[in-house]
């Protein structure tokens, strides 16, 4: 499930949830992500849909700080995974986003399961650099330290193309795509030193004017760059 085309109500809940993730990242991973946003509405489909839209990033503070997620966060996350399993006609990005959620469960909770190899990612290699950047930005939740998915491998093979895509997104004022591309650039090698990624990310965050998903990707990128890639 992607956020484009969602209802204003769902977009609002996604915004609030992304803001909570950023807040918990700043807190060092000690607080609940869903407690202030969807924790009391765990059975509400809109709230679960918001968790599914944000995907694996709902538990990003636990992934980055290596802290076990709080029980409420884990329970709501697991429920969203079960409720929104992709179907036969789902897009590649939807399938990969869901896989990232199952892998996050497997990584953080012994009861989670998921195929380590992941779905096919060869379709990414056939994309030109603008479309590659677009697809990677939709899958930015997979850009975490130590990632070894097919998507991460595809990004790692084309650092210059991702850097070009980042610059293009900035010029087009597509701040969410720029933030997602910048997050990928924080976990792959071979990024041109002339790019000025730190300055670029700061500019993207300032220009996004409070977009919570942009802030989430920027904060994730900064955390990764400051703490190493794992």
């Amino acid at each position: 499930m992607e956020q484009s085309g969602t209802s204003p109500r769902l977009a609002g809940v996604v915004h609030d949830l992304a803001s909570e993730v950023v807040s918990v990242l700043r807190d060092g991973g000690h607080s609940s992500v869903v407690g202030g946003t969807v924790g009391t509405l765990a059975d509400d489909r809109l709230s679960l849909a918001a968790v599914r839209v944000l995907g694996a990033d709902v538990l990003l503070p636990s992934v980055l700080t290596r802290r076990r997620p709080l029980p409420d966060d884990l329970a709501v996350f697991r429920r969203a995974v079960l409720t929104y399993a992709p179907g036969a006609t789902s897009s590649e990005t939807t399938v990969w986003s869901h896989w990232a959620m199952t892998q996050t469960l497997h990584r953080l909770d012994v009861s989670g399961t998921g195929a380590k190899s992941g779905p096919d990612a060869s379709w990414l290699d056939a994309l030109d650099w603008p479309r590659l950047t677009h697809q990677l930005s939709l899958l930015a939740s997979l850009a975490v330290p130590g990632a070894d998915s097919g998507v991460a491998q595809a990004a790692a093979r084309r650092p210059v193309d991702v850097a070009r895509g980042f610059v293009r997104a900035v010029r087009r004022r597509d701040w969410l795509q720029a933030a997602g591309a910048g997050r990928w650039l924080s976990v792959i090698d071979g990024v041109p030193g002339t790019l000025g990624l730190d300055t670029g990310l700061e500019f993207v965050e300032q220009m996004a004017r409070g977009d919570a998903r942009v802030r989430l990707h920027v904060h994730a990128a900064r955390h990764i760059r400051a703490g190493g890639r794992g």
Side-chain angles (χ1 to χ4, degrees):
M1 179 180 296
E2 298 163 15
Q3 191 176 359
S4 57
T6 58
S7 70
R9 285 186 63 211
L10 176 56
V13 179
V14 171
H15 173 88
D16 291 345
L17 186 58
S19 296
E20 288 293 334
V21 172
V22 173
S23 178
V24 175
L25 281 174
R26 288 172 173 165
D27 181 57
H30 298 281
S31 305
S32 170
V33 171
V34 303
T37 306
V38 302
T40 59
L41 302 172
D43 294 325
D44 177 62
R45 198 169 185 86
L46 179 67
S47 299
L48 290 178
V51 173
R52 180 60 189 89
V53 168
L54 207 58
D57 279 339
V58 172
L59 297 184
L60 180 64
S62 293
V63 171
L64 294 182
T65 63
R66 300 180 183 179
R67 296 179 183 273
R68 183 174 176 82
L70 295 177
D72 286 348
D73 290 351
L74 200 57
V76 174
F77 187 84
R78 187 186 295 112
R79 187 175 177 83
V81 169
L82 295 174
T83 301
Y84 289 101
T89 60
S90 296
S91 68
E92 290 95 341
T93 52
T94 296
V95 171
W96 267 104
S97 177
H98 185 266
W99 177 85
M101 294 181 75
T102 64
Q103 285 302 110
T104 300
L105 275 180
H106 182 71
R107 185 175 186 175
L108 298 174
D109 178 35
V110 294
S111 66
T113 59
K116 290 187 177 181
S117 60
D120 174 57
S122 60
W123 55 280
L124 288 168
D125 293 326
L127 300 179
D128 58 22
W129 62 269
R131 289 187 294 165
L132 174 70
T133 305
H134 172 67
Q135 293 298 325
L136 288 177
S137 70
L138 296 176
L139 295 171
S141 62
L142 280 85
V144 294
D148 191 32
S149 66
V151 174
Q153 292 168 15
R157 286 192 290 269
R158 298 172 65 179
V160 175
D161 282 347
V162 181
R164 290 173 70 190
F166 173 78
V167 173
R168 178 177 182 268
V170 171
R171 289 175 175 171
R172 292 165 62 92
R173 304 177 70 86
D174 188 340
W175 309 123
L176 184 56
Q177 183 174 134
R183 179 168 165 181
W184 276 109
L185 291 168
S186 73
V187 298
I188 62 177
D189 295 320
V191 178
T194 55
L195 180 63
L197 182 57
D198 291 327
T199 301
L201 287 170
E202 182 178 357
F203 177 76
V204 167
E205 184 179 24
Q206 290 176 349
M207 295 301 295
R209 295 193 178 99
D211 187 312
R213 297 189 75 185
V214 170
R215 291 203 313 271
L216 191 161
H217 290 321
V218 170
H219 277 266
R222 286 175 179 157
H223 194 289
I224 294 166
R225 288 171 67 77
R229 295 171 186 171

